[in-house]
Amino acid sequence: MVKGVSGVPRRPTGADVARLAGVNQASVSRVFAGKASGRVSPEVEQRIRQAAAQLRYEPHVSGQFLRSGRSSVLGLVVTDFENPFFGAVSRGAQSAAASHGHSLMLMEAAYEGDAFIPFRALDAGLVSGLLLYSISPPPDTGDRAPRVTLIESRLPGFRSAAFNVSASFRDLASALAVKARRVAYVDADLQRWAFQHRRSELFAALEESAPRTEVQVIEAPLRIDVAARTIAGALGSGPAPDVIVCADDVLTAGAYHALPAVGLRSEHDIDVFTFGGTVVGHALLPQPRGVRASGASLGSAAIELHLDQNPTTTEVDVPTQAVLDGPC
């Protein structure tokens, strides 16, 4: 905030940014309207963005839209606002978008009949692009594809940002080969690319490092209470596994709740590994080990790819890390 003539704090304006950066206001407008290329030097643009960050300046979205006819708002579309991993993704996306003078609008992946409602905002110019989080693009995407970026999904013809889990799962599989004869893999009961990819990569790693390990697949909903009942029922119907590996922190929390129901305790009787690193996983005691994935890094990478006017690739891999000696 800056102080007005009466000393009362007020919202900073483009003129304030221009004064601090030592440039004219037109240059500030061009930078935050996405029209700096060829008209504002990189050095001047950097000074403007540094001044804006210092003043905590945020461009007026409606004013930009009226001047340019093009929205600086991006839509982040999700299916489940309650999933804790989405919070980290949205924080990373919001921060990256703001650094480029864009705002982020959270949208639900809702349909009206066969019509994908977020497309209405895109077609009307209310948002300049959509980022679909763990959602397959609708069949009628058509010529909207260049303005759509996928997060934790892959499809030819679309830009996409997704976790690279191969190396982390190889490390995890090598550790499991030493201690596990039976592994229970708890997966989400959803037909989504992200979960299908994690399962296939882990199974390939186990086949390479521990080919004699038996794997029991338990599919459960992404709700802690329902997942707990599903996992308890599956564990109680046969020999207990040596290790449980969960595809998501929510499923891991469900596994922790399920173990006492079948007479087991985490770490004492069975090891539980997770994929995540969200607040849900951090709240579990003992904290699970597994594969750490940064939702904030994923969200940021997706925004950078979406806004890149001359990308050298259409697919960005965000690294993950196997954490086997301490909490994930």
Side-chain angles (χ1 to χ4, degrees):
M1 302 294 285
V2 297
K3 290 186 178 180
V5 292
S6 61
V8 178
R10 61 172 174 79
R11 177 176 174 169
T13 65
D16 297 319
V17 175
R19 277 193 294 272
L20 183 59
V23 301
N24 59 55
Q25 192 170 346
S27 295
V28 174
S29 298
R30 291 188 183 103
V31 166
F32 288 103
K35 298 180 178 180
S37 180
R39 306 175 74 180
V40 179
S41 71
E43 294 78 13
V44 170
E45 181 176 359
Q46 183 178 10
R47 292 212 315 269
I48 290 172
R49 293 197 181 279
Q50 288 174 342
Q54 183 177 335
L55 295 174
R56 297 185 179 180
Y57 167 72
E58 295 182 2
H60 197 283
V61 173
S62 60
Q64 284 188 324
F65 180 70
L66 290 173
R67 287 191 297 272
S68 66
R70 187 171 184 270
S71 174
S72 63
V73 179
L74 300 172
L76 178 57
V77 186
V78 300
T79 57
D80 183 6
F81 286 106
E82 295 183 358
N83 189 301
F85 201 80
F86 165 68
V89 173
S90 63
R91 285 194 299 274
Q94 179 70 60
S95 177
S99 72
H100 291 281
H102 288 261
S103 300
L104 200 66
M105 178 189 297
L106 304 184
M107 309 174 75
E108 184 181 8
Y111 286 83
E112 187 172 277
D114 293 331
F116 188 55
I117 292 178
F119 277 166
R120 295 178 181 175
L122 185 64
D123 295 342
L126 300 178
V127 297
S128 60
L130 294 175
L131 296 98
L132 308 186
Y133 174 66
S134 197
I135 303 168
S136 296
D140 62 341
T141 300
D143 58 6
R144 302 182 184 95
R147 294 181 289 163
V148 174
T149 296
L150 308 181
I151 304 177
E152 275 290 83
S153 185
R154 295 277 198 230
L155 197 67
F158 290 86
R159 300 187 192 194
S160 61
F163 285 123
N164 184 338
V165 300
S166 300
S168 297
F169 278 159
R170 283 197 299 270
D171 291 342
L172 176 58
S174 296
L176 296 181
V178 176
K179 63 172 63 179
R181 293 180 179 272
R182 287 179 51 83
V183 173
Y185 182 68
V186 183
D187 201 357
D189 62 348
L190 299 170
Q191 295 300 312
R192 293 185 187 169
W193 181 92
F195 291 109
Q196 294 168 348
H197 181 61
R198 290 172 202 172
R199 185 192 293 198
S200 65
E201 289 290 328
L202 177 61
F203 283 20
L206 285 172
E207 181 64 28
E208 179 181 337
S209 299
R212 296 184 180 180
T213 300
E214 296 180 31
V215 180
Q216 173 190 11
V217 176
I218 303 171
E219 294 187 346
L222 278 176
R223 283 185 50 189
I224 294 175
D225 55 344
V226 184
R229 292 195 294 270
T230 303
I231 296 167
L235 293 179
S237 63
D242 306 303
V243 170
I244 297 176
V245 180
C246 299
D248 182 276
D249 276 344
V250 171
L251 298 173
T252 304
Y256 269 54
H257 283 274
L259 291 179
V262 293
L264 297 173
R265 294 174 299 169
S266 176
E267 280 200 343
H268 294 278
D269 304 309
I270 191 169
D271 286 323
V272 180
F273 293 86
T274 191
F275 181 95
T278 67
V279 292
V280 171
H282 295 160
L284 299 174
L285 293 175
Q287 288 189 19
R289 295 168 290 166
V291 174
R292 180 184 297 151
S294 170
S297 296
L298 179 65
S300 177
I303 291 290
E304 296 293 344
L305 177 63
H306 184 86
L307 295 177
D308 191 345
Q309 296 182 2
N310 298 291
T312 57
T313 180
T314 58
E315 296 184 355
V316 170
D317 289 328
V318 178
T320 57
Q321 178 186 5
V323 182
L324 306 175
D325 297 323
C328 185

